[in-house]
């Protein structure tokens, strides 16, 4: 979280009747395993494919598990098992669900930024008290 690092957000996809987004995520495996939430919501389970190369290239990885959190049925968690260093997850979604968690993350980031700005403003005020301006003159 800011200020130790810049916060990153995934751009949400609007739901539009009849529209389907086709997406691909690159993930890195650690010790042959990757587990994490897919970046977008409302994923069609049957559309999920995992390959060792981008755009459905390379070897197809069939050894993965999709799960759905009971309190957030629009989310998908994927666990992938492979010897590949990186894999590419492709899937379809009609769009995202914006939830309180998304808004709360934004609010936390705004508060962190405001806190840091206020701290720097106070530091600057203390620093500037040690200087005086004599008014100078104009020619």
């Amino acid at each position: 979280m800011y200020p130790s690092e810049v916060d990153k957000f995934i751009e949400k996809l609007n739901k539009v009747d009849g529209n389907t987004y086709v997406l691909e995520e690159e993930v890195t495996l650690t010790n042959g395993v990757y587990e994490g939430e897919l970046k977008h919501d409302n994923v069609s389970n049957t559309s999920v494919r995992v390959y060792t190369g981008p755009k459905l290239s390379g070897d197809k990885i069939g050894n993965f598990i999709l799960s759905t959190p009971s309190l957030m049925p629009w989310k998908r968690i994927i666990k992938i098992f492979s010897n590949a260093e990186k894999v590419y997850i492709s899937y379809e979604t009609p769009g995202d669900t914006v939830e309180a968690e998304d808004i709360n993350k934004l609010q936390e980031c705004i508060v962190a930024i405001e806190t840091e700005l206020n701290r720097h403003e106070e530091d600057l005020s203390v620093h500037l008290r040690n200087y005086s301006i004599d008014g100078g003159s104009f020619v």
Side-chain angles (χ1 to χ4, degrees):
M1 182 177 270
Y2 185 84
S4 60
E5 61 185 52
V6 175
D7 296 305
K8 295 179 180 140
F9 299 95
I10 302 301
E11 186 175 329
K12 298 295 181 183
L13 302 172
N14 286 327
K15 286 186 183 180
V16 178
D17 285 340
N19 189 36
T20 300
Y21 297 94
V22 179
L23 304 160
E24 182 174 81
E25 297 181 25
E26 177 186 297
V27 297
T28 303
L29 285 77
T30 304
N31 298 321
V33 179
Y34 170 82
E35 183 171 14
E37 259 182 29
L38 292 176
K39 292 179 181 174
H40 295 282
D41 304 330
N42 305 303
V43 171
S44 164
N45 291 349
T46 59
S47 73
V48 177
R49 303 282 184 270
V50 181
Y51 282 83
T52 57
K55 298 184 176 157
L56 306 175
S57 68
D59 295 328
K60 184 176 182 178
I61 306 294
N63 200 2
F64 66 89
I65 301 167
L66 270 182
S67 59
T68 305
S70 60
L71 296 177
M72 293 184 276
W74 53 89
K75 295 245 183 239
R76 295 295 178 277
I77 297 169
I78 191 166
K79 188 169 188 177
I80 303 167
F81 305 91
S82 173
N83 291 328
E85 182 182 326
K86 289 183 181 180
V87 296
Y88 298 82
I89 308 163
S90 66
Y91 56 88
E92 296 176 359
T93 176
D96 289 312
T97 298
V98 178
E99 59 205 50
E101 179 184 17
D102 297 321
I103 303 305
N104 292 339
K105 284 180 186 177
L106 286 171
Q107 290 176 158
E108 287 172 15
C109 292
I110 291 168
V111 169
I113 292 168
E114 288 176 340
T115 301
E116 190 68 10
L117 285 172
N118 288 339
R119 186 179 70 78
H120 283 293
E121 185 178 1
E122 289 169 12
D123 289 349
L124 184 59
S125 294
V126 168
H127 182 72
L128 289 177
R129 280 189 216 131
N130 297 329
Y131 295 93
S132 63
I133 299 173
D134 67 4
S137 61
F138 293 99
V139 179

